[in-house]
mmCIF file of all heavy atoms in Angstrom:
data_model
loop_
_atom_site.group_PDB
_atom_site.id
_atom_site.type_symbol
_atom_site.label_atom_id
_atom_site.label_comp_id
_atom_site.label_asym_id
_atom_site.label_seq_id
_atom_site.Cartn_x
_atom_site.Cartn_y
_atom_site.Cartn_z
ATOM 1 N N SER A 146 17.366 10.243 16.407
ATOM 2 C CA SER A 146 16.594 9.030 16.214
ATOM 3 C C SER A 146 17.301 8.125 15.220
ATOM 4 O O SER A 146 16.762 7.120 14.790
ATOM 5 C CB SER A 146 15.172 9.342 15.767
ATOM 6 O OG SER A 146 15.117 10.065 14.614
ATOM 7 N N ARG A 147 18.545 8.452 14.893
ATOM 8 C CA ARG A 147 19.443 7.597 14.062
ATOM 9 C C ARG A 147 18.760 7.236 12.687
ATOM 10 O O ARG A 147 18.541 6.035 12.377
ATOM 11 C CB ARG A 147 19.906 6.382 14.822
ATOM 12 C CG ARG A 147 20.611 6.746 16.056
ATOM 13 C CD ARG A 147 21.686 5.746 16.471
ATOM 14 N NE ARG A 147 22.820 5.764 15.717
ATOM 15 C CZ ARG A 147 23.870 6.691 15.869
ATOM 16 N NH1 ARG A 147 23.708 7.602 16.671
ATOM 17 N NH2 ARG A 147 24.971 6.579 15.142
ATOM 18 N N PRO A 148 18.383 8.245 11.893
ATOM 19 C CA PRO A 148 17.820 7.908 10.580
ATOM 20 C C PRO A 148 18.816 7.225 9.642
ATOM 21 O O PRO A 148 20.000 7.345 9.787
ATOM 22 C CB PRO A 148 17.474 9.238 9.999
ATOM 23 C CG PRO A 148 18.410 10.222 10.773
ATOM 24 C CD PRO A 148 18.659 9.659 12.106
ATOM 25 N N ARG A 149 18.230 6.347 8.807
ATOM 26 C CA ARG A 149 19.073 5.755 7.788
ATOM 27 C C ARG A 149 19.301 6.737 6.633
ATOM 28 O O ARG A 149 20.327 6.760 5.986
ATOM 29 C CB ARG A 149 18.303 4.500 7.240
ATOM 30 C CG ARG A 149 18.955 3.797 6.016
ATOM 31 C CD ARG A 149 19.256 2.387 6.373
ATOM 32 N NE ARG A 149 19.724 1.704 5.213
ATOM 33 C CZ ARG A 149 20.935 1.357 4.972
ATOM 34 N NH1 ARG A 149 21.922 1.670 5.859
ATOM 35 N NH2 ARG A 149 21.349 0.664 3.877
ATOM 36 N N LEU A 150 18.201 7.557 6.405
ATOM 37 C CA LEU A 150 18.268 8.478 5.281
ATOM 38 C C LEU A 150 17.682 9.848 5.699
ATOM 39 O O LEU A 150 16.568 9.829 6.452
ATOM 40 C CB LEU A 150 17.460 7.836 4.124
ATOM 41 C CG LEU A 150 17.383 8.736 2.812
ATOM 42 C CD1 LEU A 150 18.810 8.853 2.213
ATOM 43 C CD2 LEU A 150 16.541 7.856 1.810
ATOM 44 N N VAL A 151 18.320 10.900 5.326
ATOM 45 C CA VAL A 151 17.848 12.309 5.642
ATOM 46 C C VAL A 151 17.620 12.892 4.252
ATOM 47 O O VAL A 151 18.426 12.822 3.388
ATOM 48 C CB VAL A 151 18.817 13.071 6.403
ATOM 49 C CG1 VAL A 151 18.387 14.470 6.621
ATOM 50 C CG2 VAL A 151 19.182 12.450 7.743
ATOM 51 N N TYR A 152 16.434 13.491 4.064
ATOM 52 C CA TYR A 152 16.046 14.104 2.753
ATOM 53 C C TYR A 152 15.800 15.597 2.852
ATOM 54 O O TYR A 152 15.114 16.015 3.730
ATOM 55 C CB TYR A 152 14.801 13.435 2.228
ATOM 56 C CG TYR A 152 14.236 14.087 0.878
ATOM 57 C CD1 TYR A 152 14.854 13.876 -0.277
ATOM 58 C CD2 TYR A 152 13.243 15.006 0.973
ATOM 59 C CE1 TYR A 152 14.411 14.580 -1.450
ATOM 60 C CE2 TYR A 152 12.706 15.545 -0.167
ATOM 61 C CZ TYR A 152 13.290 15.361 -1.319
ATOM 62 O OH TYR A 152 12.739 15.903 -2.479
ATOM 63 N N LEU A 153 16.348 16.372 1.971
ATOM 64 C CA LEU A 153 16.046 17.789 1.837
ATOM 65 C C LEU A 153 16.087 18.170 0.365
ATOM 66 O O LEU A 153 16.684 17.474 -0.414
ATOM 67 C CB LEU A 153 16.951 18.620 2.670
ATOM 68 C CG LEU A 153 18.459 18.429 2.496
ATOM 69 C CD1 LEU A 153 19.002 19.201 1.264
ATOM 70 C CD2 LEU A 153 19.211 18.868 3.705
ATOM 71 N N SER A 154 15.435 19.259 0.042
ATOM 72 C CA SER A 154 15.543 19.859 -1.251
ATOM 73 C C SER A 154 16.282 21.227 -1.108
ATOM 74 O O SER A 154 15.875 22.030 -0.296
ATOM 75 C CB SER A 154 14.230 19.933 -2.012
ATOM 76 O OG SER A 154 13.300 20.742 -1.222
ATOM 77 N N ASN A 155 17.256 21.390 -1.968
ATOM 78 C CA ASN A 155 18.055 22.729 -1.847
ATOM 79 C C ASN A 155 18.455 23.117 -3.300
ATOM 80 O O ASN A 155 19.281 22.421 -3.926
ATOM 81 C CB ASN A 155 19.266 22.467 -0.953
ATOM 82 C CG ASN A 155 19.951 23.765 -0.606
ATOM 83 O OD1 ASN A 155 19.273 24.741 -0.106
ATOM 84 N ND2 ASN A 155 21.226 23.884 -0.838
ATOM 85 N N PRO A 156 18.010 24.256 -3.772
ATOM 86 C CA PRO A 156 16.972 25.128 -3.193
ATOM 87 C C PRO A 156 15.701 24.322 -2.919
ATOM 88 O O PRO A 156 15.402 23.382 -3.554
ATOM 89 C CB PRO A 156 16.716 26.197 -4.345
ATOM 90 C CG PRO A 156 18.017 26.157 -5.185
ATOM 91 C CD PRO A 156 18.551 24.758 -5.084
ATOM 92 N N ASN A 157 14.968 24.877 -1.913
ATOM 93 C CA ASN A 157 13.791 24.178 -1.412
ATOM 94 C C ASN A 157 12.548 24.481 -2.184
ATOM 95 O O ASN A 157 12.260 25.654 -2.554
ATOM 96 C CB ASN A 157 13.631 24.502 0.068
ATOM 97 C CG ASN A 157 12.309 23.958 0.657
ATOM 98 O OD1 ASN A 157 11.320 24.673 0.713
ATOM 99 N ND2 ASN A 157 12.304 22.729 1.039
ATOM 100 N N ASN A 158 11.770 23.468 -2.567
ATOM 101 C CA ASN A 158 10.355 23.614 -2.929
ATOM 102 C C ASN A 158 9.556 23.242 -1.608
ATOM 103 O O ASN A 158 9.661 22.188 -1.127
ATOM 104 C CB ASN A 158 10.101 22.531 -4.023
ATOM 105 C CG ASN A 158 8.566 22.500 -4.363
ATOM 106 O OD1 ASN A 158 7.764 23.362 -3.946
ATOM 107 N ND2 ASN A 158 8.204 21.485 -5.122
#
Side-chain angles (χ1 to χ4, degrees):
S146 60
R147 304 207 73 79
R149 174 126 171 102
L150 182 60
V151 177
Y152 171 78
L153 53 82
S154 56
N155 193 50
N157 173 262
N158 172 11

